[in-house]
Amino acid sequence: MADRRLLSGNEAIGWGAILGECKAFFGYPITPQSEILEFLATELPKAGGVFLQTEDEIAAVSMVYGSSMTGTRTMSATSSPGISLMQETVSLMAYLKVPSVIVDVCRFGPGSGMAQTSQTDYRQVTKGGGHGGYRCIVLAASSSQECCDLVQFAFWLADRYRMTVYVLTDATIGQSCELVDLKTRDFGALPDKDWVLRGLDERGGNGQGIHPHMWDYVGYHEDMNEKYREITENEIKYESYRMDDAEVILVAYGYVSRMAKGAVDLAREEGLKVGLLRPITLWPFPTNVLRELSLQAHHILVVEHSSGLLVEDVECALQGKVPVHLLGIWGTHRRDSSGIIYPERIVEEIKQMVGVA
Amino acid sequence: MRKVYTRPRLLKKVPFHYCPGCGHSIIHRLMTELIDEMHLEDRIIGIPPPGCSVFAYHYFDVDMAESAHGRGAAVATGIKRAFPEAIVFTYQGDGDLAAIGTAETIHAANRGERITAIFINNAVYGMTGGQMAPTTLSQQVTTTTPYGRDTGIEGYPIKMSEIVALVKGAVYIERTAVNSPANIRKTKKAIRKGFQAQIDNLGFSLIEILSPCPTNWRMNPLESWQWIDNEMIKEFPLGVIKDITGKTDAD
């Protein structure tokens, strides 16, 4: 019988780590992420892994880097300000091509902000986040099930492409409980880790191999571009919902995509032809998919719990050929940090947009 | 004829980029000799810092990878926790270990991480051109203390080794210098003890080495050796600061 459990998104992340053969976790508490730490402090040692609570997120990501260099599947998890603190070594790992998985349970920002839900960090994670013009793969989970599955996929991608993969959720996904099928996912064969540091007897080389572009910085960026092109070609993931005859296309991710799904159903009941495109990879972004879908659409409505970040990628994809509307943070039901965007509000926006009173 | 001295086997045959009179090349030699003598090359992993010694991995023929500035103790922690069979050392300057990396150093020591920090104290930021370091002496002229370090404004030279010694997880801490043949021999002995504390699984070890920087001190190499004796050692006295390795052994 399948192992089916009621799990919060944060617990599901922890299970995903264990099923994904994560053997080391380094992290620092921060709301709304802390349950990931608590879960792994309990469960990871039982699964033969190392758990360590660190003095800050800077140390956490430095340990992720060190641990991963030994060939160990390693993860950290934090929330928005913690992601800012980690950028120095995320950038270093991008340069040295060291795999890592980092979970960002997004909270409201900027600054310390508030611990409640938001999507204000889309740009930070999808555009690299730190210095040096690198990229990270970003997987956006919209359910507890997806938290569990995408963490496993993130480890595979990180090892496959030797880079940092973010799993982006938000306070709503992190804290909501849903049924999850705990299942080990297999994504296929991976290349040998011939670059790891484990002493001369096992590797037969030395650490200079970890710094391969010392005398060819142009070559580094050319190699990276080639890798990014390959990822864009092969790894884009998205879900399209009730899109067949859609004239209005909603674009949303994370918890907001769940609200948008509800809005699609409500709008369809009223005879409005609405569909949803939910990017699962935020980078690489499903640009061509959106472009094709837009051929049938009269309107695009981006719904996101921020002032307009995802909308930039949508506008870039559509190049002005279809009108792009935005329902941003002003669509939340309260003006304080506990507001969220409900389906009814999205339907209202759709009606205004298409001119139905 | 008996061979009394040779190039260390694990020191690569490439010219050092260090300035004449710099202490790094001496310390690199001592460390590669020791790694060989203690048969550690099969399991040693080193973390060089941003700074003059960032290219240490061009010279040490062992596994090495750089860390971000100041993060050595945390990177070493990650390696050691994931791969406990490894012998892990950081190689850090005074800015790296005693300014930007203070938190990582103290907390790695407090956890008793089985790692060894080699802490090169030359009282200036070397690679960036001789600015004030956390260990710059009172009244010492640097490019950012052109009138001499004013402790009322810039604070005091920080004694990281003594601070780290207060932390329970630190088991062996010694301060040495590389400004005379006798001190160089003592430095090698100290590093050996640091590695041994790690091999014996006792806790965190730190070897602080006062090291000349003639270029940024605006001195010739001989004057720089004398300056360590006449000025630096007054502020940073040499000797064993903490040794509970014996005690732990007895336990």
Side-chain angles (χ1 to χ4, degrees):
Chain A
M1 208 180 82
D3 190 353
R4 198 148 209 251
R5 301 190 193 199
L6 185 66
L7 298 175
S8 72
N10 283 345
E11 290 167 326
I13 295 267
W15 274 112
I18 285 170
L19 295 175
E21 294 283 303
C22 172
K23 292 296 175 205
F25 179 94
F26 303 95
Y28 186 81
I30 180 171
T31 309
Q33 164 272 161
S34 303
E35 295 83 5
I36 300 176
L37 234 71
E38 291 167 348
F39 178 88
L40 288 170
T42 311
E43 298 298 330
L44 195 53
K46 292 185 206 166
V50 172
F51 171 91
L52 187 62
Q53 182 174 327
T54 62
E55 60 269 31
D56 55 30
E57 291 88 347
I58 297 171
V61 73
S62 301
M63 292 177 198
V64 166
Y65 161 54
S67 170
S68 184
M69 270 197 304
T70 70
T72 307
R73 277 196 166 181
T74 310
M75 182 171 109
S76 188
T78 182
S79 179
S80 311
I83 295 288
S84 297
L85 282 171
M86 288 182 174
Q87 289 312 312
E88 174 188 48
T89 288
V90 172
S91 171
L92 180 66
M93 289 194 289
Y95 179 55
L96 299 176
K97 300 197 275 186
V98 176
S100 73
V101 173
I102 298 174
V103 178
D104 182 3
V105 186
C106 185
R107 54 188 264 162
F108 183 85
S112 299
M114 294 295 282
Q116 286 101 328
T117 209
S118 92
Q119 297 183 316
T120 46
D121 295 331
Y122 177 93
R123 195 190 282 139
Q124 180 182 38
V125 288
T126 58
K127 309 303 177 195
H131 62 282
Y134 61 92
R135 291 186 178 282
C136 299
I137 295 173
V138 184
L139 306 175
S142 68
S143 65
S144 289
Q145 182 70 57
E146 231 177 18
C147 284
C148 182
D149 296 344
L150 287 182
V151 166
Q152 297 181 58
F153 187 44
F155 276 111
W156 186 88
L157 287 170
D159 283 348
R160 168 74 182 78
Y161 295 104
R162 289 181 59 182
M163 64 194 291
T164 292
V165 180
Y166 286 115
V167 176
L168 179 67
T169 72
D170 48 64
T172 309
I173 297 298
Q175 306 288 330
S176 306
C177 286
E178 299 180 291
L179 283 171
V180 178
D181 279 323
L182 290 182
K183 202 175 156 195
T184 306
R185 309 280 165 179
D186 182 10
F187 305 99
L190 285 167
D192 284 342
K193 291 186 177 180
D194 57 359
W195 46 268
V196 300
L197 301 186
R198 291 180 75 87
L200 291 186
D201 61 338
E202 290 185 43
R203 249 174 41 77
N206 64 66
Q208 211 174 314
I210 202 85
H211 197 159
H213 293 278
M214 190 67 220
W215 312 114
D216 183 9
Y217 283 95
V218 175
Y220 166 78
H221 284 285
E222 285 170 345
D223 282 2
M224 288 301 108
N225 277 352
E226 175 56 25
K227 179 162 90 174
Y228 298 152
R229 192 197 53 73
E230 195 188 337
I231 295 166
T232 305
E233 216 159 79
N234 298 318
E235 306 300 348
I236 287 173
K237 268 188 184 299
Y238 61 93
E239 179 194 6
S240 70
Y241 180 68
R242 301 188 77 170
M243 197 63 89
D244 286 349
D245 58 347
E247 291 169 0
V248 175
I249 296 175
L250 306 183
V251 185
Y253 71 97
Y255 100 83
V256 177
S257 70
R258 301 287 290 275
M259 302 299 177
K261 240 181 204 179
V264 168
D265 293 343
L266 286 177
R268 289 261 174 192
E269 278 171 24
E270 296 188 38
L272 295 165
K273 291 179 175 170
V274 182
L276 166 69
L277 176 72
R278 177 173 74 89
I280 296 171
T281 51
L282 298 182
W283 192 87
F285 191 75
T287 300
N288 291 334
V289 174
L290 184 60
R291 231 171 248 172
E292 260 173 50
L293 287 171
S294 72
L295 296 175
Q296 67 182 57
H298 303 304
H299 296 278
I300 306 282
L301 176 62
V302 176
V303 191
E304 58 176 320
H305 195 139
S306 76
S307 57
L309 305 171
L310 165 67
V311 71
E312 293 172 345
D313 280 341
V314 174
E315 279 172 341
C316 182
L318 298 178
Q319 300 173 330
K321 287 176 183 150
V322 185
V324 175
H325 305 264
L326 169 67
L327 178 60
I329 194 164
W330 48 90
T332 55
H333 80 298
R334 291 171 59 106
R335 291 190 70 83
D336 64 24
S337 61
S338 63
I340 62 172
I341 302 174
Y342 280 114
E344 292 76 7
R345 178 68 183 84
I346 302 172
V347 174
E348 190 187 307
E349 192 75 12
I350 294 168
K351 285 180 179 171
Q352 268 181 25
M353 200 172 64
V354 300
V356 181
Chain B
M1 205 160 59
R2 195 166 68 93
K3 195 176 193 179
V4 294
Y5 180 77
T6 186
R7 186 184 183 84
R9 189 173 61 88
L10 296 171
L11 194 60
K12 290 185 208 166
K13 285 181 183 159
V14 290
F16 285 127
H17 72 286
Y18 299 118
C19 303
C22 171
H24 280 310
S25 33
I26 300 171
I27 299 161
H28 284 13
R29 174 171 62 76
L30 296 180
M31 291 185 68
T32 46
E33 279 174 3
L34 268 173
I35 293 167
D36 198 8
E37 287 165 22
M38 298 176 83
H39 308 293
L40 299 178
E41 71 268 26
D42 284 350
R43 55 181 180 135
I44 201 160
I45 301 173
I47 310 295
C52 289
S53 53
V54 67
F55 295 136
Y57 44 71
H58 288 322
Y59 308 129
F60 284 63
D61 195 11
V62 301
D63 270 0
M64 285 188 116
E66 69 189 88
S67 87
H69 193 26
R71 315 303 170 215
V75 174
T77 298
I79 293 173
K80 189 76 177 189
R81 293 280 176 144
F83 182 35
E85 300 88 338
I87 299 299
V88 188
F89 72 89
T90 65
Y91 190 101
Q92 300 176 263
D94 39 56
D96 195 80
L97 185 138
I100 195 168
T102 313
E104 287 81 358
T105 306
I106 299 269
H107 286 277
N110 190 48
R111 289 187 303 265
E113 296 295 343
R114 274 59 168 167
I115 60 177
T116 304
I118 306 299
F119 168 30
I120 315 302
N121 179 359
N122 63 8
V124 284
Y125 280 80
M127 191 167 76
T128 46
Q131 295 82 15
M132 181 186 72
T135 50
T136 292
L137 303 185
S138 174
Q139 299 305 315
Q140 185 183 336
V141 172
T142 71
T143 60
T144 50
T145 51
Y147 310 110
R149 182 176 190 164
D150 180 344
T151 53
I153 294 171
E154 282 112 5
Y156 298 88
I158 196 164
K159 297 185 178 182
M160 262 311 264
S161 292
E162 281 83 349
I163 292 171
V164 173
L166 294 173
V167 161
K168 272 198 171 173
V171 297
Y172 191 82
I173 300 178
E174 181 171 351
R175 185 183 290 118
T176 66
V178 284
N179 67 334
S180 71
N183 280 343
I184 289 169
R185 276 196 300 277
K186 282 182 193 161
T187 298
K188 185 172 174 182
K189 219 172 140 189
I191 298 172
R192 181 190 291 276
K193 282 188 182 161
F195 282 159
Q196 195 60 48
Q198 182 180 170
I199 293 164
D200 294 342
N201 202 29
L202 299 177
F204 185 83
S205 48
L206 173 84
I207 312 302
E208 175 177 347
I209 304 167
L210 307 185
S211 179
C213 182
T215 300
N216 286 308
W217 295 353
R218 314 286 191 259
M219 294 175 194
N220 68 36
L222 185 62
E223 288 164 349
S224 75
W225 279 30
Q226 289 162 349
W227 194 75
I228 289 179
D229 269 336
N230 299 334
E231 303 293 336
M232 270 191 100
I233 286 176
K234 282 187 206 153
E235 185 66 36
F236 299 108
L238 304 187
V240 176
I241 294 164
K242 183 177 188 182
D243 180 2
I244 54 167
T245 56
K247 190 179 151 204
T248 316
D249 270 346
D251 295 342

